[in-house]
Amino acid sequence: MGRPATAAPSGLVAPPLSASLERGDPHRGGAAHRYSPAPLEGAAADVSLGDIGRDTLPANDGWAAADGGTTGGATADDAHVFTVRNRSELVRALDGGSATPKIIKIAGTIDANTDDDGDHLDCADYATDGYGTGKYLAAYDPRTWGSAKPSGPQEEARQASAAKQAERVELAVGSNTTIVGLGDSAVLKGAGLQLRDVHNVIVRNLELRDAYDCFPVWQPNTGGLGDWKTAYDNIWLRGATHVWIDHVTLSDKGHPDEREPTYFGRNHLRHDGLLDITNASDLVTVSWSRFADHDKAILIGNGDTATADRGKLRVTLHHNEFESVVQRAPRVRFGQVHLYNNRYVVPADAHDYRYSVGVSTESAIHAENNAFHTPGHIEVADLVKSWNGTALHQSGTLFNGYPVDLLAIHNAYNSGSERDLTADVGWTPTLHTKIDSAASADRAVARGAGAGRIP
């Protein structure tokens, strides 16, 4: 999980490093594939999981089961049940984020970085108005530009180029929608699903990978030394309510940030979050999913001053696996978050691991029976990080097979820079499935979390 200063990988890369095009790949959709709600034929139709498109969230399964539950597009009529095989078909099925009940079944791999003919687009195809990574670096080198926010021709060109990519990869999901993957190998690549001010959405059995930003912006004053900021999350909830995310796999697969070069002494990041839940989103359940090979996994609440989030951001995270995740698994502000029966795996070569559970302003995390696996250089005290947090409930935690008290150890070893946390988070979860021991859940999650593993 290191961040060496290497050349950018092939595929979606910065324009100065590659202008190659991938054309005519039959696995990317293309003109030969036409939009049809008809079922697939042949091997792709052999879906051992059955038809999960009309499944609804079971009763009591986390916060998304409150106040009437979450049904997604289960009531869709036959005219609004779609099987999609490429970006154009997916966009048409999404219908501009309409609230019409709909079920969208994804077959095979869909690449969001494609044109209307299904041909692959790379970063060079989006670059416009004279943008180039080399030009951008020369224009805003801190040694000559200083600490001012980037402005002028290259920043304007970056913004125009970024807008062209966003038009392709940001996909609006409307209310009363179910998106499911067919079989055990459905992939949505390069896309950022946007759930903005919507209600009643289900996403299941789908791998979402590599929401790759071609045009990161340099922010000179971030973190004291400056940093690169990227635009896309694999799934972003803003003002969304009643959302169930289940058996999905989210990662940077294909273009890990650790392989990106270092510019201005900072890793040239290409990915933001895997799942962000912000802007007063509420009543969300994330279950049996896998978050892997990424820096910032899950952000719940995006600002200490976002007081409109009070009473919102109620989220349940259960039976999920976090593997090779640097931080935010999750980081929470304001929300009442039930975190139970999750599995955390930090690889032996992880030298940039920061923390797993982030306790931030007015957060109320109720953590039960979670299991952590780490190499020897990571201690129990490293698992929790607090910024203005006041409380954390924890019980039943396993650390490399041994029971530990995360709260007591955090308070004993927090170095004095963070206040001690109390155990009183002000609420007790009542909406949940059976809570297993951490050891039992650990084994079950290792076998069953992620896309293609719905029993």
Side-chain angles (χ1 to χ4, degrees), residues 149-290:
K149 181 179 178 181
S151 62
Q154 271 300 301
E155 172 58 16
E156 292 169 3
R158 188 204 63 80
Q159 293 179 22
S161 302
K164 286 183 64 177
Q165 185 183 20
E167 184 180 358
R168 306 307 297 179
V169 303
E170 291 187 340
L171 303 176
V173 179
S175 297
N176 308 313
T177 297
T178 291
I179 301 175
V180 297
L182 287 178
D184 59 4
S185 57
V187 177
L188 182 55
K189 176 181 174 183
L193 293 182
Q194 306 281 311
L195 281 64
R196 186 167 189 170
D197 299 325
V198 298
H199 169 80
N200 194 31
V201 175
I202 294 173
V203 182
R204 300 185 74 201
N205 194 46
L206 182 64
E207 179 181 353
L208 297 106
R209 70 167 74 143
D210 193 22
Y212 186 95
D213 185 352
C214 288
F215 308 102
V217 60
W218 174 244
Q219 295 188 323
N221 294 312
T222 298
L225 299 176
D227 210 349
W228 295 97
K229 181 173 176 58
T230 56
Y232 307 122
D233 306 305
N234 294 71
I235 306 177
W236 188 3
L237 279 58
R238 286 177 285 180
T241 60
H242 283 286
V243 178
W244 181 29
I245 297 170
D246 176 68
H247 280 93
V248 301
T249 297
L250 304 102
S251 76
D252 298 344
K253 186 175 181 179
H255 295 98
D257 281 335
E258 65 189 26
R259 297 181 187 171
E260 294 292 332
T262 297
Y263 297 136
F264 307 153
R266 308 293 286 175
N267 181 234
H268 197 220
L269 296 172
R270 299 295 191 150
H271 304 90
D272 193 9
L274 294 176
L275 170 63
D276 277 13
I277 303 170
T278 67
N279 300 83
S281 292
D282 199 20
L283 303 179
V284 178
T285 297
V286 183
S287 56
W288 292 99
S289 293
R290 187 168 186 269

Side-chain angles (χ1 to χ4, degrees), residues 31 71 85 114 162 182 198-199 230 267 297 332 343 376 407 455:
T71 60
R85 303 166 179 85
T114 51
L182 287 178
V198 298
H199 169 80
T230 56
N267 181 234
V332 182
R343 167 182 165 90
L407 180 63

Side-chain angles (χ1 to χ4, degrees), residues 46-99:
D46 184 15
V47 182
S48 60
L49 301 175
D51 185 2
I52 62 173
R54 295 194 185 274
D55 286 357
T56 61
L57 178 69
N60 298 315
D61 193 351
W63 275 116
D67 300 342
T70 300
T71 60
T75 63
D77 58 29
D78 289 345
H80 291 92
V81 179
F82 309 102
T83 296
V84 299
R85 303 166 179 85
N86 56 52
R87 179 192 176 279
S88 293
E89 293 177 356
L90 175 58
V91 168
R92 286 196 290 270
L94 287 169
D95 191 26
S98 78

Side-chain angles (χ1 to χ4, degrees), residues 295-299 317 322-332 339 342-346 352-359 365 370-374 378-387 392 397 399 406:
D295 186 348
K296 305 175 182 73
I298 302 177
L299 179 65
L317 299 166
F322 299 90
E323 182 174 1
S324 298
V325 167
V326 176
Q327 58 186 314
R328 297 185 184 178
R331 179 177 177 178
V332 182
L339 184 70
N342 297 287
R343 167 182 165 90
Y344 295 80
V345 180
V346 182
D352 55 355
Y353 172 82
R354 298 187 183 181
Y355 68 91
S356 292
V357 180
V359 183
I365 301 171
N370 298 293
F372 295 83
H373 303 268
T374 77
I378 294 175
E379 304 289 347
V380 177
D382 298 324
L383 304 181
V384 175
K385 175 71 175 174
S386 174
W387 300 262
L392 170 68
T397 304
F399 178 76
L406 284 181

Side-chain angles (χ1 to χ4, degrees), residues 361-443:
T361 302
E362 297 186 34
S363 62
I365 301 171
H366 196 283
E368 298 181 79
N369 297 16
N370 298 293
F372 295 83
H373 303 268
T374 77
H377 66 279
I378 294 175
E379 304 289 347
V380 177
D382 298 324
L383 304 181
V384 175
K385 175 71 175 174
S386 174
W387 300 262
N388 301 318
T390 60
L392 170 68
H393 171 93
Q394 79 82 44
S395 60
T397 304
L398 283 184
F399 178 76
N400 290 332
Y402 293 91
V404 296
D405 187 330
L406 284 181
L407 180 63
I409 292 173
H410 169 81
N411 288 343
Y413 292 93
N414 68 22
S415 76
S417 61
E418 304 166 8
R419 75 180 75 177
D420 283 354
L421 302 174
T422 73
D424 183 8
V425 294
W427 72 292
T428 300
T430 58
L431 290 169
H432 54 78
T433 56
K434 180 178 182 290
I435 300 178
D436 296 314
S437 70
S440 295
D442 187 40
R443 294 189 295 269

